Every structure is written in C-alpha cells, then in structure tokens.
Amino acid sequence: QVRFVESGGGLVQPGGSLTLSCQASEFTVGNYAMGWFRQVPGKAREGVLCIDRSDGITYYMDSVMGRFTISRDNAKNTLYLQMNSLKPEDTAVYYCTADTRGMLPLRFSPEYWGQGTQVTVSS
C-alpha cells in the first residue's frame, strides 16, 4: 500500500528554518513528480512547489521563492522541504504529494497525499 509519512514540523520563530521530510513506502520517489502543499484553517489546500522526474523545480507560490526548496534522497526514498527565513504567514499544515500521471495532475489534483505535519511560525 502506497504511503507517505511527513515529519519535521513544529514551532519556529520568525526568521528561523525547518526541514520537513516525507518518507515513502511502496512508492519510488525518484521515479515520479512530487510536491508539497499547505493548508491554513478555513482555506483550501494550496500547492507550494514541486519537483519533476528530472529534478526540475517549479514554484507554485511566489512568496516562497528564494526561501523554500524541495529535494529528494533516492537512497532513503525520502522527499524534503527546506524552509528558510520563515514568516508567520507560512504557518500551515504541510502535505507531501505525489502523482504517477505527471506534473499537471500533481498541480491540481495529486494522486497521493501524506497525512500532513503542522508548521507554526510565531515568536
């Protein structure tokens, strides 16, 4: 059964950094498009950024460019989200996503979702 488990969330002060991890089971992270979404209470989930099969990165949010980056370790079968210079508006539940169908479905309706991990940016 395909499964994604996120970890690394928590409370961080503004300007701080966090790295989220997404461990995959029954799914090879290096073979497919994967991404990160986030959701704040009362709003729909939004795409943050993604990585394609060739490790090309696409940002869905201008507000995180230059601060967030996505990467993966194929040996560990794990996807990462490195978040720097965090702001209070980055507070959200962050979800790892994946799609075997490609980048466009991943952007609008990901095939797979992790359970989410809470990131809170506050002093």
Side-chain angles (χ1 to χ4, degrees):
Q1 179 178 351
V2 175
R3 187 182 181 202
F4 299 93
V5 178
E6 297 100 332
S7 61
L11 174 64
V12 62
Q13 291 188 342
S17 298
L18 275 178
T19 300
L20 305 184
S21 300
C22 173
Q23 175 71 56
S25 300
E26 302 299 323
F27 188 93
T28 303
V29 300
N31 288 353
Y32 302 103
M34 297 192 70
W36 290 91
F37 277 58
R38 70 187 188 187
Q39 185 175 29
V40 299
K43 293 189 176 182
R45 293 177 183 181
E46 295 182 280
V48 181
L49 74 172
C50 68
I51 186 168
D52 63 26
R53 293 177 60 183
S54 301
D55 290 342
I57 297 173
T58 299
Y59 287 87
Y60 299 143
M61 288 185 171
D62 290 344
S63 63
V64 306
M65 291 184 69
R67 300 189 298 121
F68 290 14
T69 192
I70 185 173
S71 63
R72 55 187 159 204
D73 185 330
N74 293 339
K76 295 182 179 179
N77 210 33
T78 300
L79 181 75
Y80 300 98
L81 176 63
Q82 174 67 46
M83 304 184 291
N84 300 320
S85 302
L86 281 160
K87 303 176 181 181
E89 52 264 42
D90 295 319
T91 296
V93 177
Y94 284 74
Y95 296 90
C96 167
T97 61
D99 207 304
T100 61
R101 301 166 296 176
M103 294 288 285
L104 192 60
L106 178 69
R107 173 69 179 92
F108 295 104
S109 183
E111 187 175 3
Y112 297 108
W113 293 82
Q115 86 287 353
T117 185
Q118 176 70 47
V119 172
T120 302
V121 185
S122 176
S123 55

PDB file of all heavy atoms in Angstrom, residues 79-97:
ATOM      1  N   LEU A  79      11.457  12.531   0.392  1.00  0.00           N
ATOM      2  CA  LEU A  79      11.331  13.877  -0.162  1.00  0.00           C
ATOM      3  C   LEU A  79      11.516  14.878   0.970  1.00  0.00           C
ATOM      4  O   LEU A  79      11.111  14.608   2.103  1.00  0.00           O
ATOM      5  CB  LEU A  79       9.943  14.054  -0.780  1.00  0.00           C
ATOM      6  CG  LEU A  79       9.621  15.392  -1.436  1.00  0.00           C
ATOM      7  CD1 LEU A  79      10.334  15.492  -2.782  1.00  0.00           C
ATOM      8  CD2 LEU A  79       8.113  15.548  -1.611  1.00  0.00           C
ATOM      9  N   TYR A  80      12.105  16.032   0.659  1.00  0.00           N
ATOM     10  CA  TYR A  80      12.361  17.045   1.675  1.00  0.00           C
ATOM     11  C   TYR A  80      11.809  18.401   1.246  1.00  0.00           C
ATOM     12  O   TYR A  80      11.688  18.700   0.057  1.00  0.00           O
ATOM     13  CB  TYR A  80      13.862  17.194   1.926  1.00  0.00           C
ATOM     14  CG  TYR A  80      14.530  15.944   2.408  1.00  0.00           C
ATOM     15  CD1 TYR A  80      15.205  15.112   1.524  1.00  0.00           C
ATOM     16  CD2 TYR A  80      14.476  15.582   3.748  1.00  0.00           C
ATOM     17  CE1 TYR A  80      15.820  13.953   1.958  1.00  0.00           C
ATOM     18  CE2 TYR A  80      15.092  14.417   4.193  1.00  0.00           C
ATOM     19  CZ  TYR A  80      15.757  13.616   3.296  1.00  0.00           C
ATOM     20  OH  TYR A  80      16.357  12.462   3.734  1.00  0.00           O
ATOM     21  N   LEU A  81      11.500  19.211   2.248  1.00  0.00           N
ATOM     22  CA  LEU A  81      11.176  20.617   2.026  1.00  0.00           C
ATOM     23  C   LEU A  81      12.028  21.422   3.000  1.00  0.00           C
ATOM     24  O   LEU A  81      11.823  21.343   4.218  1.00  0.00           O
ATOM     25  CB  LEU A  81       9.692  20.892   2.265  1.00  0.00           C
ATOM     26  CG  LEU A  81       9.266  22.359   2.147  1.00  0.00           C
ATOM     27  CD1 LEU A  81       9.498  22.873   0.727  1.00  0.00           C
ATOM     28  CD2 LEU A  81       7.787  22.536   2.530  1.00  0.00           C
ATOM     29  N   GLN A  82      12.981  22.162   2.466  1.00  0.00           N
ATOM     30  CA  GLN A  82      13.817  23.032   3.286  1.00  0.00           C
ATOM     31  C   GLN A  82      13.187  24.413   3.282  1.00  0.00           C
ATOM     32  O   GLN A  82      12.990  25.008   2.221  1.00  0.00           O
ATOM     33  CB  GLN A  82      15.241  23.095   2.725  1.00  0.00           C
ATOM     34  CG  GLN A  82      16.153  24.089   3.435  1.00  0.00           C
ATOM     35  CD  GLN A  82      16.450  23.683   4.865  1.00  0.00           C
ATOM     36  OE1 GLN A  82      16.760  22.528   5.141  1.00  0.00           O
ATOM     37  NE2 GLN A  82      16.365  24.640   5.785  1.00  0.00           N
ATOM     38  N   MET A  83      12.895  24.915   4.476  1.00  0.00           N
ATOM     39  CA  MET A  83      12.234  26.208   4.619  1.00  0.00           C
ATOM     40  C   MET A  83      13.125  27.129   5.434  1.00  0.00           C
ATOM     41  O   MET A  83      13.449  26.815   6.587  1.00  0.00           O
ATOM     42  CB  MET A  83      10.870  26.038   5.300  1.00  0.00           C
ATOM     43  CG  MET A  83       9.947  25.072   4.593  1.00  0.00           C
ATOM     44  SD  MET A  83       8.316  24.966   5.354  1.00  0.00           S
ATOM     45  CE  MET A  83       8.739  24.166   6.891  1.00  0.00           C
ATOM     46  N   ASN A  84      13.511  28.234   4.826  1.00  0.00           N
ATOM     47  CA  ASN A  84      14.347  29.235   5.488  1.00  0.00           C
ATOM     48  C   ASN A  84      13.598  30.557   5.584  1.00  0.00           C
ATOM     49  O   ASN A  84      12.600  30.772   4.895  1.00  0.00           O
ATOM     50  CB  ASN A  84      15.643  29.424   4.706  1.00  0.00           C
ATOM     51  CG  ASN A  84      16.460  28.155   4.598  1.00  0.00           C
ATOM     52  OD1 ASN A  84      16.567  27.383   5.543  1.00  0.00           O
ATOM     53  ND2 ASN A  84      17.040  27.931   3.428  1.00  0.00           N
ATOM     54  N   SER A  85      14.104  31.424   6.439  1.00  0.00           N
ATOM     55  CA  SER A  85      13.522  32.762   6.612  1.00  0.00           C
ATOM     56  C   SER A  85      12.014  32.686   6.788  1.00  0.00           C
ATOM     57  O   SER A  85      11.248  33.405   6.130  1.00  0.00           O
ATOM     58  CB  SER A  85      13.874  33.641   5.406  1.00  0.00           C
ATOM     59  OG  SER A  85      15.278  33.741   5.256  1.00  0.00           O
ATOM     60  N   LEU A  86      11.582  31.828   7.653  1.00  0.00           N
ATOM     61  CA  LEU A  86      10.153  31.574   7.831  1.00  0.00           C
ATOM     62  C   LEU A  86       9.425  32.803   8.364  1.00  0.00           C
ATOM     63  O   LEU A  86       9.966  33.572   9.173  1.00  0.00           O
ATOM     64  CB  LEU A  86       9.938  30.386   8.755  1.00  0.00           C
ATOM     65  CG  LEU A  86      10.138  29.035   8.073  1.00  0.00           C
ATOM     66  CD1 LEU A  86      10.408  27.932   9.086  1.00  0.00           C
ATOM     67  CD2 LEU A  86       8.934  28.692   7.215  1.00  0.00           C
ATOM     68  N   LYS A  87       8.190  32.952   7.907  1.00  0.00           N
ATOM     69  CA  LYS A  87       7.343  34.078   8.288  1.00  0.00           C
ATOM     70  C   LYS A  87       6.074  33.547   8.947  1.00  0.00           C
ATOM     71  O   LYS A  87       5.665  32.410   8.673  1.00  0.00           O
ATOM     72  CB  LYS A  87       6.974  34.889   7.045  1.00  0.00           C
ATOM     73  CG  LYS A  87       8.169  35.397   6.259  1.00  0.00           C
ATOM     74  CD  LYS A  87       7.710  36.094   4.996  1.00  0.00           C
ATOM     75  CE  LYS A  87       8.887  36.593   4.181  1.00  0.00           C
ATOM     76  NZ  LYS A  87       8.458  37.300   2.931  1.00  0.00           N
ATOM     77  N   PRO A  88       5.412  34.345   9.759  1.00  0.00           N
ATOM     78  CA  PRO A  88       4.161  33.892  10.382  1.00  0.00           C
ATOM     79  C   PRO A  88       3.134  33.417   9.358  1.00  0.00           C
ATOM     80  O   PRO A  88       2.375  32.481   9.633  1.00  0.00           O
ATOM     81  CB  PRO A  88       3.686  35.138  11.133  1.00  0.00           C
ATOM     82  CG  PRO A  88       4.946  35.865  11.479  1.00  0.00           C
ATOM     83  CD  PRO A  88       5.850  35.650  10.305  1.00  0.00           C
ATOM     84  N   GLU A  89       3.125  34.016   8.179  1.00  0.00           N
ATOM     85  CA  GLU A  89       2.168  33.608   7.150  1.00  0.00           C
ATOM     86  C   GLU A  89       2.485  32.258   6.531  1.00  0.00           C
ATOM     87  O   GLU A  89       1.699  31.743   5.723  1.00  0.00           O
ATOM     88  CB  GLU A  89       2.048  34.674   6.060  1.00  0.00           C
ATOM     89  CG  GLU A  89       3.358  35.124   5.471  1.00  0.00           C
ATOM     90  CD  GLU A  89       3.892  36.390   6.111  1.00  0.00           C
ATOM     91  OE1 GLU A  89       3.815  36.526   7.353  1.00  0.00           O
ATOM     92  OE2 GLU A  89       4.408  37.244   5.355  1.00  0.00           O
ATOM     93  N   ASP A  90       3.613  31.682   6.876  1.00  0.00           N
ATOM     94  CA  ASP A  90       3.933  30.321   6.431  1.00  0.00           C
ATOM     95  C   ASP A  90       3.303  29.265   7.345  1.00  0.00           C
ATOM     96  O   ASP A  90       3.396  28.069   7.074  1.00  0.00           O
ATOM     97  CB  ASP A  90       5.444  30.105   6.408  1.00  0.00           C
ATOM     98  CG  ASP A  90       6.146  30.969   5.379  1.00  0.00           C
ATOM     99  OD1 ASP A  90       5.615  31.110   4.261  1.00  0.00           O
ATOM    100  OD2 ASP A  90       7.225  31.507   5.696  1.00  0.00           O
ATOM    101  N   THR A  91       2.691  29.706   8.426  1.00  0.00           N
ATOM    102  CA  THR A  91       2.035  28.777   9.340  1.00  0.00           C
ATOM    103  C   THR A  91       0.923  28.023   8.626  1.00  0.00           C
ATOM    104  O   THR A  91       0.033  28.633   8.030  1.00  0.00           O
ATOM    105  CB  THR A  91       1.457  29.540  10.550  1.00  0.00           C
ATOM    106  OG1 THR A  91       2.526  30.132  11.292  1.00  0.00           O
ATOM    107  CG2 THR A  91       0.661  28.602  11.449  1.00  0.00           C
ATOM    108  N   ALA A  92       0.997  26.699   8.665  1.00  0.00           N
ATOM    109  CA  ALA A  92       0.038  25.854   7.945  1.00  0.00           C
ATOM    110  C   ALA A  92       0.337  24.394   8.249  1.00  0.00           C
ATOM    111  O   ALA A  92       1.368  24.077   8.840  1.00  0.00           O
ATOM    112  CB  ALA A  92       0.137  26.090   6.440  1.00  0.00           C
ATOM    113  N   VAL A  93      -0.572  23.537   7.813  1.00  0.00           N
ATOM    114  CA  VAL A  93      -0.276  22.108   7.752  1.00  0.00           C
ATOM    115  C   VAL A  93       0.318  21.837   6.375  1.00  0.00           C
ATOM    116  O   VAL A  93      -0.263  22.225   5.351  1.00  0.00           O
ATOM    117  CB  VAL A  93      -1.535  21.258   7.967  1.00  0.00           C
ATOM    118  CG1 VAL A  93      -1.199  19.772   7.828  1.00  0.00           C
ATOM    119  CG2 VAL A  93      -2.139  21.536   9.338  1.00  0.00           C
ATOM    120  N   TYR A  94       1.461  21.192   6.357  1.00  0.00           N
ATOM    121  CA  TYR A  94       2.159  20.915   5.117  1.00  0.00           C
ATOM    122  C   TYR A  94       1.986  19.447   4.732  1.00  0.00           C
ATOM    123  O   TYR A  94       2.171  18.556   5.569  1.00  0.00           O
ATOM    124  CB  TYR A  94       3.643  21.253   5.252  1.00  0.00           C
ATOM    125  CG  TYR A  94       3.899  22.740   5.199  1.00  0.00           C
ATOM    126  CD1 TYR A  94       3.581  23.555   6.285  1.00  0.00           C
ATOM    127  CD2 TYR A  94       4.425  23.332   4.052  1.00  0.00           C
ATOM    128  CE1 TYR A  94       3.788  24.924   6.227  1.00  0.00           C
ATOM    129  CE2 TYR A  94       4.637  24.702   3.992  1.00  0.00           C
ATOM    130  CZ  TYR A  94       4.320  25.492   5.086  1.00  0.00           C
ATOM    131  OH  TYR A  94       4.513  26.853   5.028  1.00  0.00           O
ATOM    132  N   TYR A  95       1.655  19.224   3.456  1.00  0.00           N
ATOM    133  CA  TYR A  95       1.389  17.888   2.954  1.00  0.00           C
ATOM    134  C   TYR A  95       2.356  17.531   1.834  1.00  0.00           C
ATOM    135  O   TYR A  95       2.566  18.324   0.897  1.00  0.00           O
ATOM    136  CB  TYR A  95      -0.023  17.802   2.388  1.00  0.00           C
ATOM    137  CG  TYR A  95      -1.121  18.019   3.390  1.00  0.00           C
ATOM    138  CD1 TYR A  95      -1.625  19.285   3.636  1.00  0.00           C
ATOM    139  CD2 TYR A  95      -1.674  16.946   4.091  1.00  0.00           C
ATOM    140  CE1 TYR A  95      -2.637  19.488   4.557  1.00  0.00           C
ATOM    141  CE2 TYR A  95      -2.696  17.137   5.005  1.00  0.00           C
ATOM    142  CZ  TYR A  95      -3.167  18.411   5.237  1.00  0.00           C
ATOM    143  OH  TYR A  95      -4.173  18.605   6.143  1.00  0.00           O
ATOM    144  N   CYS A  96       2.871  16.350   1.910  1.00  0.00           N
ATOM    145  CA  CYS A  96       3.659  15.765   0.829  1.00  0.00           C
ATOM    146  C   CYS A  96       2.683  15.181  -0.194  1.00  0.00           C
ATOM    147  O   CYS A  96       1.676  14.570   0.187  1.00  0.00           O
ATOM    148  CB  CYS A  96       4.535  14.667   1.438  1.00  0.00           C
ATOM    149  SG  CYS A  96       5.331  13.559   0.311  1.00  0.00           S
ATOM    150  N   THR A  97       2.958  15.384  -1.472  1.00  0.00           N
ATOM    151  CA  THR A  97       2.087  14.854  -2.513  1.00  0.00           C
ATOM    152  C   THR A  97       2.917  14.159  -3.596  1.00  0.00           C
ATOM    153  O   THR A  97       4.109  14.444  -3.757  1.00  0.00           O
ATOM    154  CB  THR A  97       1.261  15.964  -3.173  1.00  0.00           C
ATOM    155  OG1 THR A  97       2.155  16.909  -3.793  1.00  0.00           O
ATOM    156  CG2 THR A  97       0.401  16.695  -2.164  1.00  0.00           C
TER     157      THR A  97
END
